[in-house]
Amino acid sequence: MQNHFQEIYNVLPLVLVACGVFLSVVIEIGSVKSEKILPWFSVLVFLGTSLFSVFNLNNCGTAYNNMLSYGGNVFIFYSLFNLAAALTVLSSMEYIKKYGSYFGEYYILLLSSVLGMMLMAGARDLFMVFIGLELMSICFYVLAGINRKKQNANEASLKYFLLGSFATGFVVYGIALIFGTAHTTSLEVIVSNFGSLSHNLLFVTGMLLFLVGFSFKIAAFPFHMWVPDVYQGSATTVSGLMSTGGKAAAFSVLLIALGAVFPGNAANVFRPYFAAIAAFSMLYGSIVAISQNNLKRMLAYSSIAHAGYMAIGLAAGNRESVAGIMFYLVAYTFMNLGAFGIIAMVEGADDTNLELKDYIGLSQRHPLLSALMALFMFSLSGLPPFAGFFGKYYVFISAIKADLTWLAILGVVSSVISVYFYLRVIVYMYFKEPEPEALPVHNNANGVLAVVISAILVVMFGIFPGTLINLITSYLR
Amino acid sequence: MNLIPIEYYLILSAFMFAVGVTGVLIRKNAIVVFMCIELMLNSGNLALVAFSSYMGSSAGQIFVFFVMTVAAAEAAVGLAIIIAIFRNKLTVNIDEINIFKW
């Protein structure tokens, strides 16, 4: 009996979020005030889980017959997902009222999708990877179309659904081939036999299909076609979570599946694959973003470019790259959530106020929001001293250590290109003459709070990057 | 006992997978595209069951149950999305669902 309680305590973050899902269903059914209670209840669950994970980092191990692992970097991912979701809920409260689409399901689905992400990050078995992936994706298909009266949202939801389940098809077939050649679904065993298995053509094919499926989820170049449409059409706050939490969860699975490569136990047979998608994603994302006038669409292309920068780390495949990718994910999560949070506040109902020209003169109408937007844009473009700079720095360093200097140079080149479209937002906000008929900004306390918290974290990780990097490195075996 | 060699199953499942992928890429009706995705999932199921049976391990067969359950959940969500879009646009043709460009 003692053991059962101990095991439940070890995976308590998952239990907390799962209980949150069930309780929020009960609240939605049972209470007439659920519209007021549910958002704050979910913030409470997310913050509680996040804090619990942070304070239990040192309690490492595996639970339930090696199905799940806990502690260490897994808990860093847990607290990242939960913090991101808490910020999303804060900026969603007013946003979904503005669009007249308050449904209790919104918060329930957010909770379930975070549970899916956590299962992915904690998985030590292909079963858990698959369950977590689908739990997250199916919730996101619905969340993308939460403004169900809007044709934009319908279209985004349909495209996300079709392309997302297409990716699932690849993942399932990949898992079948991996299972057939490795004779197990345990990632622990697959990782320890990775070196000998990677001479088996069928295993490599299966692994490649698996990686293609996840390349859809991280929004890397040849598998990116859904990204701009889905991010533009979905509810803005949901796009924020999809582009950060969803991407982080997919990367966490890639880090687990390639676990043999990073400590140098096996050759990185997938290096050409990752180098190619990294190079193309960075350049394609940065170049096409220049021609975008819609801010959500621009951030979607920037999301493709950022997936490319992180994929450099996967191509490099050494210890530094794990720490680099994780740091990058943390930095990207907060700067992108902040940017989407501001867009959600500036946006009027019916998808108005999303164009670049609507940001003209924002510095006079709302100095705080425009200053924070400028901060996020600087960070996204990778200028010091913000967190985005150190994310890129650590990933590029890992590439140079792995003799992939050309990839690091390409990364720097595409960062330089990307400065153009990030700084253009700042130019529009500060240096253009405002038009008199500009639409009002519906700023609200909760949304501003979420954005300010993201900004504080971006600056904090930018000034003290060493704390997080050392923490992550200390948990790498 | 003469078993059908495992290669036969794998070739069949690879063929089903290829048909599914091709269908997703060239068909225009959202429901047909969705059916092709189901075909891809089922080709994975076939390979899993074949491997599982030849290895004498039940893990693959259990995995198939998970895949089928998830596919059912996905079908529920997917058909609901298709109905929502049909209500607004009166079409499920993917070529006409094109608000977003470049």
Side-chain angles (χ1 to χ4, degrees), chain A residues 165-166 168-170 172-173, chain B residues 12-24 27 31-47 67 71 74:
Chain A
S165 30
F166 188 49
T168 304
F170 281 99
V172 168
Y173 202 73
Chain B
L12 176 63
S13 81
F15 175 71
M16 272 166 72
F17 187 74
V19 170
V21 173
T22 322
V24 171
R27 295 306 293 263
I31 294 175
V32 177
V33 171
F34 183 51
M35 281 159 62
C36 293
I37 290 168
E38 292 291 312
L39 199 56
M40 287 169 69
L41 291 179
N42 282 332
S43 73
N45 285 350
L46 181 61
V67 176
E74 236 176 30

Side-chain angles (χ1 to χ4, degrees), chain A residues 126-127 130-131 134 138 141-142 148-152 154-159 161-162 165-166 168-170 172-173 175-177 179-180 183 185 202 209 229 232-233 284 288 291-292 297 301, chain B residues 10 13-14 17 21 24-25 30 33-34 37 40-41 43-45 47-48 51-52 55 57 59-60 62-63 66-67 70 73-74 77-78 81-82 84-85 88-89 94 97-102:
Chain A
L126 292 172
F127 275 87
F130 180 68
I131 298 290
E134 285 308 293
I138 292 178
Y141 303 150
V142 184
R148 66 189 162 114
K149 301 258 162 54
K150 300 271 182 297
Q151 286 199 1
N152 283 358
N154 288 156
E155 184 172 329
S157 174
L158 180 72
K159 285 185 175 168
F161 167 69
L162 289 180
S165 30
F166 188 49
T168 304
F170 281 99
V172 168
Y173 202 73
I175 289 177
L177 293 186
F179 170 69
H183 298 255
T185 54
L202 208 54
L209 286 169
D229 295 357
Q232 189 185 347
Y284 178 84
V288 180
S291 67
Q292 301 304 324
R297 207 170 173 80
Y301 281 105
Chain B
L10 291 186
S13 81
F17 187 74
V21 173
V24 171
L25 295 178
V33 171
F34 183 51
I37 290 168
M40 287 169 69
L41 291 179
S43 73
N45 285 350
L48 277 167
F51 278 129
S52 176
M55 286 185 312
S57 132
I62 295 166
F63 201 99
F66 280 85
V67 176
V70 163
E74 236 176 30
V77 167
I81 290 171
I82 293 174
I85 206 162
N88 276 342
K89 295 198 79 155
I94 288 178
I97 301 171
N98 56 0
I99 304 173
F100 302 118
K101 289 192 192 81
W102 191 232

Side-chain angles (χ1 to χ4, degrees), chain A residues 37-64:
Chain A
I37 301 172
L38 262 189
W40 292 108
F41 175 73
S42 44
V43 168
L44 189 75
V45 171
F46 288 137
L47 282 185
T49 313
S50 181
L51 285 179
F52 180 87
S53 311
V54 169
F55 286 116
N56 285 280
L57 286 175
N58 287 322
N59 179 20
C60 300
T62 58
Y64 297 112

Side-chain angles (χ1 to χ4, degrees), chain A residues 365-387:
Chain A
R365 283 184 286 151
H366 209 299
L368 176 67
L369 281 192
S370 49
L372 291 175
M373 188 65 162
L375 185 151
F376 293 128
M377 288 298 136
F378 279 129
S379 181
L380 279 167
S381 61
L383 295 177
F386 301 110

Side-chain angles (χ1 to χ4, degrees), chain A residues 157-212:
Chain A
S157 174
L158 180 72
K159 285 185 175 168
Y160 194 22
F161 167 69
L162 289 180
L163 270 298
S165 30
F166 188 49
T168 304
F170 281 99
V171 172
V172 168
Y173 202 73
I175 289 177
L177 293 186
I178 293 171
F179 170 69
T181 44
H183 298 255
T184 175
T185 54
S186 160
L187 280 167
E188 212 84 49
V189 180
I190 293 170
V191 163
S192 58
N193 297 335
F194 194 81
S196 53
L197 282 171
S198 58
H199 298 293
N200 185 334
L201 189 63
L202 208 54
F203 177 78
V204 174
T205 317
M207 203 65 191
L208 210 54
L209 286 169
F210 186 78
L211 296 181
V212 165

Side-chain angles (χ1 to χ4, degrees), chain A residues 12 101 106 248 299 307 317 392:
Chain A
L12 199 62
S101 48
Y106 182 81
L299 282 180
K392 278 182 188 159

